Amino acid sequence: MNKISLLALISSAFMAACGGGGSDSASNAGSNNNSGAGQTQPINVVFPAVPAGTSVQPTSYLNAKNFNLAPVRLPGNSWSDATVLADFKQNGTFQLFTARLNYDPRSSTPTSAAASTFGIYSRDPVAGNWILETGMLDTSAGCIHPRKAAVADLNKDSIPDIVVGCHGYDATPFPGERMYAVLSQGGGRFRVAPIPAGIGFFHNVTVADINQDGNADIVATDNVIASNAIRVFLGAGDGSFTEHAELAPQVGRNRPIYTIELVDLNNDGRPDLIMGGADNQGWPVTTTLNQGGSRVFNGGASTVYGANSAWGIATDFVADGPYLYVARTTDNYSGASIEQIDLTTKASSNLKSSTAVPWTALIVKYGGTIQSAMVGRGL
């Protein structure tokens, strides 16, 4: 059996265990290579210099989608959804953060599951290889199961930090775990630590100043631990967070939501919420406007878009002018498609699709085309 078919089969087997958002545990365990000094992976792309004064943008969405970055080949051809680029060294170039799973739920227990490995890589400007930075993180030990990495300035020092959404052991009893922060300490050093604000099955995270107090806030999905699928954590501006359930959208309660982003959809200066999950389980792509004040998303105007029965799982978004582009896969995580939705008319079309590629976890707009953010991972 070829590698793509094997990965698709394994991913399908563990799809239900991941709450419908796809599991990279079985296909990753023991196969990623992003730990250990000197491990490299050549890539044939050129990343632009980081424009002065833009090394960290106001939202994690802009930090991931706004630099016109080419798709990345991960170190060692690894497979990780918790992957993001930023100028962590503050030297005008992009470095790569990624996480490696170190357990397999088929052969471990919640107590024996090993922590993931976090790493930051710099790119050799001549050979194009990713080279592990051995001195930037105070520890490489991360959460058990990282699912999404989001870059924002959490402690207001103008240096990119990282929130890692983690959901813990990916099998019964699905105990959940805390999100992690990779927090800048100055001098090119970062502290890795769990965020004490709450335990959850945090399948996806996104970061922005949702209440306009000048501090970065976290919005996360949680389909297992909490009855409300969307959880809101307000930042204090020092890297700490407090949960505020009263700010979460009520429209998302008890729904299979796996994918979210914060994007200003109506140009009022407030980040709005885009949600997606399992269309065939009653949760098609939905947007909720940020109404500001003391309620934020609670009671905000929501728009529900048409369900996509053929490609029923939404995995990522790109908002571009009047259109929302949705990365999708089937209910059993076989193949990938890119859907275009007109945010005004609700009209949608399938731009491209294939059942012969792995499902796409992250998408970007590069060279005028919506495509996978990772080489070899979907369309």
Side-chain angles (χ1 to χ4, degrees):
M1 183 177 292
N2 63 43
K3 180 179 180 183
I4 290 178
S5 298
L6 178 60
L7 288 174
L9 177 61
I10 292 173
S11 182
S12 298
F14 283 90
M15 179 269 291
C18 205
S23 172
D24 55 6
S25 56
S27 56
N28 266 304
S31 64
N32 282 342
N33 295 309
N34 64 339
S35 63
Q39 295 188 1
T40 62
Q41 173 62 43
I43 55 176
N44 298 317
V45 298
V46 176
F47 292 125
V50 180
T54 65
S55 66
V56 58
Q57 300 204 18
T59 72
S60 62
Y61 175 84
L62 291 175
N63 283 309
K65 315 282 189 180
N66 207 37
F67 286 107
N68 194 34
L69 296 174
V72 175
R73 187 184 301 278
L74 300 186
N77 275 330
S78 59
W79 181 300
S80 173
D81 298 335
T83 297
V84 70
L85 291 155
D87 185 7
F88 299 112
K89 296 178 73 173
Q90 296 291 278
N91 65 356
T93 67
F94 286 97
Q95 293 82 49
L96 174 72
F97 169 86
T98 189
R100 173 170 60 92
L101 291 180
N102 292 322
Y103 86 103
D104 187 332
R106 298 170 299 178
S107 58
S108 63
T109 67
T111 55
S112 69
S116 62
T117 301
F118 288 0
I120 293 178
Y121 295 79
S122 291
R123 187 165 181 257
D124 185 312
V126 177
N129 299 336
W130 288 118
I131 302 175
L132 181 67
E133 294 281 354
T134 58
M136 294 186 68
L137 303 181
D138 66 345
T139 177
S140 62
C143 57
I144 298 298
H145 200 132
R147 285 292 287 145
K148 173 77 176 290
V151 164
D153 183 7
L154 306 180
N155 56 0
K156 303 175 76 170
D157 63 358
S158 300
I159 298 173
D161 307 301
I162 308 168
V163 174
V164 182
C166 310
H167 61 51
Y169 184 74
D170 198 11
T172 304
F174 302 103
E177 65 179 323
R178 301 186 191 280
M179 294 177 284
Y180 266 55
V182 181
L183 200 65
S184 62
Q185 305 295 296
R189 297 281 297 173
F190 290 80
R191 177 172 58 86
V192 177
I195 297 173
I199 292 174
F201 199 85
F202 297 118
H203 199 282
N204 208 285
V205 295
T206 181
V207 184
D209 179 10
I210 63 171
N211 62 345
Q212 298 184 297
D213 66 351
N215 301 326
D217 311 307
I218 301 172
V219 180
T221 62
D222 179 3
N223 303 99
V224 176
I225 306 303
S227 61
N228 192 347
I230 302 297
R231 297 174 67 177
V232 173
F233 302 86
L234 295 185
D238 59 1
S240 64
F241 297 87
T242 304
E243 186 165 9
H244 285 263
E246 75 278 7
L247 304 181
Q250 299 306 298
V251 69
R253 291 184 66 86
N254 300 308
R255 295 290 187 176
I257 301 173
Y258 312 127
T259 303
I260 53 174
E261 276 295 0
L262 289 168
V263 181
D264 183 7
L265 297 174
N266 58 354
N267 298 312
D268 65 355
R270 296 191 292 261
D272 304 305
L273 186 60
I274 308 172
M275 299 169 280
D279 290 38
N280 295 330
Q281 296 178 40
W283 191 254
V285 171
T286 301
T287 60
T288 296
L289 297 182
N290 184 338
Q291 59 190 329
S294 61
R295 297 179 64 84
V296 187
F297 300 118
N298 188 349
S302 295
T303 301
V304 180
Y305 295 88
N308 188 324
S309 59
W311 299 92
I313 303 292
T315 59
D316 197 25
F317 303 112
V318 166
D320 186 30
Y323 299 111
L324 178 67
Y325 296 92
V326 186
R328 289 189 170 275
T329 188
T330 64
D331 287 356
N332 65 356
Y333 281 75
S334 174
S337 78
I338 303 294
E339 178 186 30
Q340 177 185 275
I341 298 176
D342 188 309
L343 290 169
T344 302
T345 67
K346 297 188 179 181
S348 67
S349 61
N350 182 37
L351 297 185
K352 53 184 176 180
S353 61
S354 174
T355 57
V357 299
W359 65 280
T360 303
L362 303 169
I363 54 173
V364 292
K365 183 178 182 180
Y366 176 68
T369 302
I370 304 297
Q371 55 189 287
S372 173
M374 290 178 279
V375 174
R377 183 73 184 269
L379 298 170

